[in-house]
């Protein structure tokens, strides 16, 4: 299994499923949460990484934030460009790898939503977080969510899962790769009689490891929750939501 699985995964039917699985109401609620949790001033500059089709950036731009969205999927960045043009909002879209962020002290806040934290092994996660910290102004906040923290996924891991979203059927086979510390998932998508297969690796970190990783990269954790409604995070919680802050010096 290739460690850079994410370079080819996010195209075609996988994106169709993502678009259909997330409602406009969920995006609005998450954008409202981000605006509060990031504590950035109204015209502040925010980095959405990875931005997907830009659903959060579009909402936050309409609330007065200056947005930059970065993603590795050409299809999603193209869609984000079309959407922002059609909706008359100015957003900077960047096609690129989130581990290669080149900006310095530019952003008043950043976020990584949609279960996109943990696509890389420890060294690459650290490289991502260090570059992200460098891109933020001192004291700026970073918010992310994850369904894949060890406390969430390991007690609840299901070997086989099925989902039907509109006309897309998805079968998932999950296995925990003990030697790597990650969940390998085999996906079978069926749409209009056509079958597509994909594989992903999602690294599993405990909250304590995430804290160490963030501190190593120059962040400290301000708050952890089990949802954007502020419920506590505990063993077995399906979601982890972290608000961190870049050190002031
Ligand atoms: C599940 S989607 C979430 C997108 C968005 N945050 C949201 O909530 O809608 C994951 C995204 O991560 C992007 N991605 C995966 N690996 C990446 C990488 N190395 N650099 C930049 N983007 C990446 C994919 O292209 C995809 O758009």
């Amino acid at each position: 299994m290739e460690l850079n699985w994410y370079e080819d995964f996010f195209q075609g039917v996988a994106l169709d499923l993502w678009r259909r699985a997330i409602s406009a109401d969920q995006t609005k609620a998450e954008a409202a949460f981000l605006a509060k949790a990031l504590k950035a001033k109204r015209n502040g500059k925010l980095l959405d990484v990875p931005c997907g089709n830009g659903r959060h950036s579009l909402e936050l731009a309409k609330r007065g934030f200056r947005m930059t969205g970065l993603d590795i999927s050409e299809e999603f960045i193209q869609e984000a460009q079309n959407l922002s043009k059609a909706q008359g909002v100015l957003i900077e879209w960047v096609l690129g790898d989130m581990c290669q962020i080149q900006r310095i002290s530019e952003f008043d806040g950043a976020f990584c939503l949609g279960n996109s934290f943990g696509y890389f092994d420890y060294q690459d996660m650290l490289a991502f977080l260090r570059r992200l910290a460098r891109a933020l102004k001192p004291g700026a906040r970073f918010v992310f969510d994850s369904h894949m923290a060890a406390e969430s996924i390991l007690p609840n891991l299901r070997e086989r899962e099925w989902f039907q979203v509109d006309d897309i059927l998805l079968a998932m086979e999950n296995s925990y790769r003990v030697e790597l510390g990650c969940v390998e998932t085999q996906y079978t998508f069926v749409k209009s009689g056509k079958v597509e297969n994909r594989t992903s690796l999602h690294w599993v970190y405990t909250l304590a490891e995430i804290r160490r990783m963030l501190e190593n990269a120059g962040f400290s954790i301000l708050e952890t929750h089990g949802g954007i409604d502020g419920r506590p995070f505990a063993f077995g919680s399906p979601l982890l939501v972290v608000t961190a802050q870049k050190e002031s010096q």
Side-chain angles (χ1 to χ4, degrees):
M1 176 67 208
E2 300 286 340
L3 294 192
N4 56 348
W5 60 273
Y6 48 82
E7 288 178 7
D8 304 318
F9 186 96
F10 295 96
Q11 47 168 311
V13 68
L15 304 196
D16 275 351
L17 186 87
W18 185 248
R19 286 180 194 105
R20 288 168 209 211
I22 307 283
S23 69
D25 284 350
Q26 180 178 342
T27 297
K28 280 203 172 77
E30 288 171 353
F33 162 74
L34 285 168
K36 221 167 128 192
L38 288 168
K39 272 212 169 146
K41 54 185 186 299
R42 271 298 127 143
N43 66 345
K45 245 189 139 186
L46 302 181
L47 177 62
D48 178 0
V49 59
C51 64
N53 67 357
R55 63 189 183 100
H56 295 113
S57 285
L58 289 159
E59 277 298 320
L60 289 164
K62 289 174 200 162
R63 289 168 181 255
F65 296 101
R66 287 177 295 150
M67 299 303 306
T68 296
L70 182 149
D71 202 281
I72 204 167
S73 162
E74 267 187 71
E75 194 179 327
F76 257 166
I77 286 291
Q78 186 62 58
E79 182 177 331
Q81 276 165 349
N82 295 342
L83 287 169
S84 57
K85 206 168 158 198
Q87 295 175 25
V89 281
L90 204 60
I91 295 175
E92 180 192 25
W93 302 114
V94 181
L95 178 65
D97 188 334
M98 60 203 271
C99 295
Q100 302 295 331
I101 299 168
Q102 300 296 340
R103 311 295 176 92
I104 296 173
S105 229
E106 185 177 324
F107 297 99
D108 300 292
F111 58 90
C112 175
L113 247 58
N115 196 34
S116 313
F117 187 91
Y119 290 161
F120 320 118
D121 66 9
Y122 197 91
Q123 285 314 313
D124 283 352
M125 282 303 295
L126 203 52
F128 159 60
L129 290 171
R130 285 189 175 140
R131 284 183 185 241
L132 182 68
R134 198 178 59 164
L136 290 172
K137 295 178 185 167
R141 292 184 173 197
F142 169 49
V143 171
F144 64 90
D145 69 3
S146 174
H147 291 290
M148 302 301 284
E151 294 84 347
S152 300
I153 191 69
L154 295 183
N156 298 313
L157 189 70
R158 281 190 283 172
E159 229 173 276
R160 287 193 171 76
E161 298 177 274
W162 295 83
F163 299 97
Q164 175 88 46
V165 184
D166 299 336
D167 60 341
I168 304 175
L169 178 70
L170 169 62
M172 292 164 65
E173 279 185 53
N174 304 305
S175 58
Y176 183 62
R177 300 272 305 266
V178 284
E179 78 285 12
L180 293 175
C182 66
V183 171
E184 179 171 329
T185 304
Q186 313 281 347
Y187 301 76
T188 305
F189 297 93
V190 185
K191 188 187 172 199
S192 312
K194 208 177 139 215
V195 179
E196 282 190 40
N197 295 300
R198 306 272 164 83
T199 307
S200 73
L201 291 178
H202 209 131
W203 266 260
V204 172
Y205 301 108
T206 61
L207 176 55
E209 279 171 326
I210 291 172
R211 185 184 298 278
R212 277 193 290 276
M213 206 187 283
L214 284 164
E215 287 175 358
N216 205 329
F219 290 98
S220 54
I221 289 186
L222 297 177
E223 285 182 347
T224 56
H225 292 291
I228 61 171
D229 57 3
R231 72 183 73 176
F233 179 70
F235 186 72
S237 293
L239 185 69
L240 169 66
V241 180
V242 174
T243 304
Q245 186 169 37
K246 179 182 169 172
E247 285 159 7
S248 300
Q249 299 295 333

